[in-house]
Amino acid sequence: INEFRQRVERVQTESTTGVTELKTLIGTLGTLNQALTEEARNLSTALRGSSKAQGDWGEFILRDLLDKAGLREGEQYVFQQSFAVEGENGERSRSVRTDVVVSLPGGRSLVIDSKVSLTAYTDCVNATEDDARKAALKQHMASMRGHISGLAKAGYHNLPGIEAPDFVVMFIPIEPAFLMALQCDGELWADAYKRGILLVGPTTLLYVIRIINVLWRQERQARNVQDVMKRGTELYEKFAGFVTDMELIGDSLRKTDKHYGEAMKKLADGRGNLIRQVEM
């Protein structure tokens, strides 16, 4: 009974200590959560105040996804590349800068452009009244449609010097904003695709990049197989040439041995050889 009592008391002590540590940890997490909330609020405020800041933030998210997916800048994708586009119908030529051009196997390319629709989306999420929420949602959809129209007019899929697919990827770095737009307008994705625009969020883009990475891995494997076949062919040709040379050497050695035997007979082995003649 005494041992049982001691064990119970020890368990109670350990439990009290664990509860104290847990309370401390919860308090720390609460402080950390408040700090993260404040940082997120500051980030949201900073992004809302500048469209350039929103664009830079979207490009940062895009670059981060490309790097995490295993693509290497300068080898498999180029960031912020400028192109000179000739004007149509007498218009002056203009300079176009893409966010990202991803290289695909076979010499083709995929153009990805980041478009951030944050202000109206944030107003919609934070709205406390239905009228304000509906108005913000309408602005959010107008912003998305505006980005699609602007990207379609840019004509990135017809840029000179690159062989691009028939569509351009429009990346929305805020997944909830992307999903909200698709839920609100069921025709948005199809309408964009008809205009040569492929709408993607972070999750969808990650799948696309993963597929590109797999394609590059298969391309490297195919190149390795070609290199092995090329080297195997060269090795076989060298072996065949070596055998031919060895056969020629063998023939030459046999002829040389025959001539050597005949010479030795004349010199020392045969009847009336030179040495015998000299001795006589």
Side-chain angles (χ1 to χ4, degrees):
I1 291 176
N2 287 332
E3 291 179 0
F4 178 72
R5 180 185 302 167
Q6 291 174 1
R7 291 182 180 178
V8 171
E9 291 175 352
R10 185 165 58 251
V11 169
Q12 289 178 344
T13 302
E14 293 175 353
S15 177
T16 302
T17 303
V19 170
T20 302
E21 294 177 353
L22 181 59
K23 288 181 178 179
T24 304
L25 179 60
I26 292 175
T28 304
L29 291 176
T31 303
L32 178 61
N33 184 53
Q34 291 178 357
L36 291 176
T37 302
E38 184 64 25
E39 290 179 2
R41 186 180 299 109
N42 293 336
L43 176 61
S44 177
T45 302
L47 292 177
R48 285 171 60 89
S50 171
S51 58
K52 184 180 185 304
Q54 293 184 16
D56 293 342
W57 178 75
E59 293 173 358
F60 169 78
I61 298 298
L62 177 56
R63 185 197 294 266
D64 187 56
L65 283 174
L66 292 170
D67 292 338
K68 287 182 178 178
L71 299 184
R72 293 179 295 274
E73 184 175 1
E75 294 183 18
Q76 293 158 327
Y77 76 90
V78 179
F79 208 79
Q80 293 184 346
Q81 185 175 1
S82 297
F83 297 87
V85 179
E86 296 293 335
E88 297 180 357
N89 300 325
E91 297 180 355
R92 297 177 58 185
S93 61
R94 55 192 176 92
S95 179
V96 174
R97 191 186 70 172
T98 57
D99 285 347
V100 171
V101 177
V102 181
S103 299
L104 301 176
R108 297 181 68 85
S109 302
L110 182 67
V111 180
I112 305 176
D113 197 85
S114 173
K115 297 297 184 183
V116 181
S117 296
L118 178 64
T119 304
Y121 166 73
T122 305
D123 292 339
C124 180
V125 172
N126 295 331
T128 56
E129 298 180 356
D130 290 341
D131 292 341
R133 185 179 298 107
K134 291 179 180 179
L137 181 58
K138 185 177 180 179
Q139 293 178 358
H140 176 57
M141 297 309 303
S143 175
M144 293 287 292
R145 290 279 183 178
H147 286 318
I148 293 173
S149 298
L151 197 55
K153 293 179 181 179
Y156 286 162
H157 48 281
N158 293 322
L159 291 176
I162 62 172
E163 185 179 355
D166 297 331
F167 57 86
V168 175
V169 177
M170 174 174 157
F171 171 59
I172 300 97
I174 308 172
E175 189 84 29
F178 170 61
L179 297 177
M180 177 185 290
L182 295 183
Q183 292 174 356
C184 180
D185 187 352
E187 301 296 326
L188 182 66
W189 195 95
D191 291 344
Y193 190 78
K194 290 177 182 178
R195 304 185 68 176
I197 308 298
L198 179 64
L199 298 180
V200 299
T203 303
T204 314
L205 179 62
L206 189 58
Y207 287 139
V208 173
I209 298 173
R210 287 291 188 184
I211 292 174
I212 294 174
N213 200 13
V214 170
L215 291 176
W216 271 115
R217 190 181 304 120
Q218 293 177 347
E219 176 71 10
R220 288 192 293 269
Q221 291 175 351
R223 290 178 181 177
N224 290 337
V225 170
Q226 292 177 357
D227 291 340
V228 170
M229 293 176 62
K230 180 180 178 181
R231 291 189 177 275
T233 302
E234 293 176 352
L235 187 62
Y236 170 78
E237 292 175 351
K238 289 293 184 182
F239 267 120
F242 180 74
V243 171
T244 301
D245 292 340
M246 289 299 294
E247 289 175 347
L248 293 175
I249 292 173
D251 293 339
S252 299
L253 288 175
R254 283 189 291 271
K255 292 178 180 178
T256 302
D257 182 66
K258 180 180 178 182
H259 294 320
Y260 172 78
E262 293 176 353
M264 286 301 296
K265 287 180 181 179
K266 295 176 181 177
L267 177 64
D269 297 337
R271 295 180 60 183
N273 60 76
L274 293 176
I275 293 179
R276 179 61 179 164
Q277 293 291 335
V278 172
E279 288 176 350
M280 293 175 59

